[in-house]
Amino acid sequence: MQIEAVAGGYAIIQAKPGVTLYLRDQEIFTDSEGFAGIGFSRDAGGLYDLVAKASDGRQETETIWVASRQFNVQYVNGVESSRVTPPASVTERIQREAEQVWRARQGGHDLNHWREDTFIAPISGPVTGVYGSQRFYNGEPRSPHWGIDYAAPQGTPVKTPAGGTVVLAEPDLYYSGGTVIVDHGGGLSSSFLHLSQLGVKVGDRLSQGDIIGAVGSTGRSTGPHLDWRMNLHGERVDAALWLTDAAD
């Protein structure tokens, strides 16, 4: 069992053949080899009962303690006002794009990169934003930040941190601008936001380190940077916890 048992963290476990897993009474998806990935939300904390039920009715329970976290507050000024409080004319577009991103994150590819690859950072550069921070844009409170922001010059190549399949490649989403989503398998995906250029298309199969695009400042952005986010079975998880040097 591999566990980062904190809010925004994850667990990777393997069930025995014929065993079904439940977390807090919700069935957990397992792949063809019995591996399961569990994501813990930003607000997670406390005891979680992981139940393994065999086909003959026997069951075992393991308790996972998920530690809560304190998150930063970050103020971002100089954002175009229409990207903070969008006009009614773009409401339908925003809803349509949100649905498009949601569908892409459903994955479905039987890939093992999520549990076999050792994740690497998509670029090097100063970290200017972290997971879970409460964001204020131009003084207005908005949703927490769900990714890692890396500051980098415009045009810096962006690498995929692990192998996978491209499930979304859009040059101009309203909030995230140039956006690529890579499915790593097992319900885990990476999203790369604010790109100036896309170097891939939907359906492309990638190996770790392949270039997927270039750093930009598109969408809701005040300067060139990369926002890298991760999603595990519908939970927004902290990408930093998937890096080998996360504890350094």
Side-chain angles (χ1 to χ4, degrees), residues 39-207:
F40 303 114
S41 74
R42 175 185 184 271
D43 300 319
L47 294 174
Y48 286 70
D49 285 336
L50 178 65
V51 178
K53 293 184 178 181
S55 56
D56 62 6
R58 291 180 299 169
Q59 68 179 51
E60 297 179 3
T61 299
E62 181 168 346
T63 300
I64 300 173
W65 171 258
V66 179
S68 59
R69 294 165 66 183
Q70 296 294 319
F71 295 101
N72 299 339
V73 175
Q74 188 173 26
Y75 296 87
V76 182
N77 297 313
V79 182
E80 182 184 339
S81 60
S82 64
R83 304 285 176 170
V84 179
T85 306
S89 59
V90 298
T91 299
E92 184 178 344
R93 173 188 173 183
I94 292 170
Q95 293 174 342
R96 181 175 67 252
E97 291 176 353
E99 173 69 18
Q100 185 179 10
V101 169
W102 180 86
R103 288 198 306 270
R105 284 178 173 158
Q106 301 314 296
H109 294 89
D110 190 14
L111 305 172
N112 297 332
H113 300 288
W114 68 286
R115 58 180 173 80
E116 293 183 350
D117 289 358
T118 300
F119 282 66
I120 61 173
I123 62 172
S124 60
V127 172
T128 57
V130 296
Y131 171 91
S133 298
Q134 177 61 57
R135 281 282 176 92
F136 287 77
Y137 292 100
N138 299 346
E140 297 288 334
R142 292 295 184 267
S143 299
H145 188 243
W146 298 116
I148 310 175
D149 284 341
Y150 295 92
Q154 180 92 2
T156 300
V158 176
K159 302 174 292 187
T160 181
T165 297
V166 178
V167 291
L168 185 140
E170 289 291 336
D172 184 29
L173 298 185
Y174 188 79
Y175 282 125
S176 57
T179 304
V180 169
I181 299 179
V182 175
D183 176 15
H184 303 297
L188 182 70
S189 65
S190 285
S191 301
F192 309 92
L193 282 54
H194 310 301
L195 301 173
S196 60
Q197 301 174 40
L198 308 186
V200 293
K201 63 183 184 302
V202 172
D204 284 352
R205 296 291 295 268
L206 306 177
S207 298

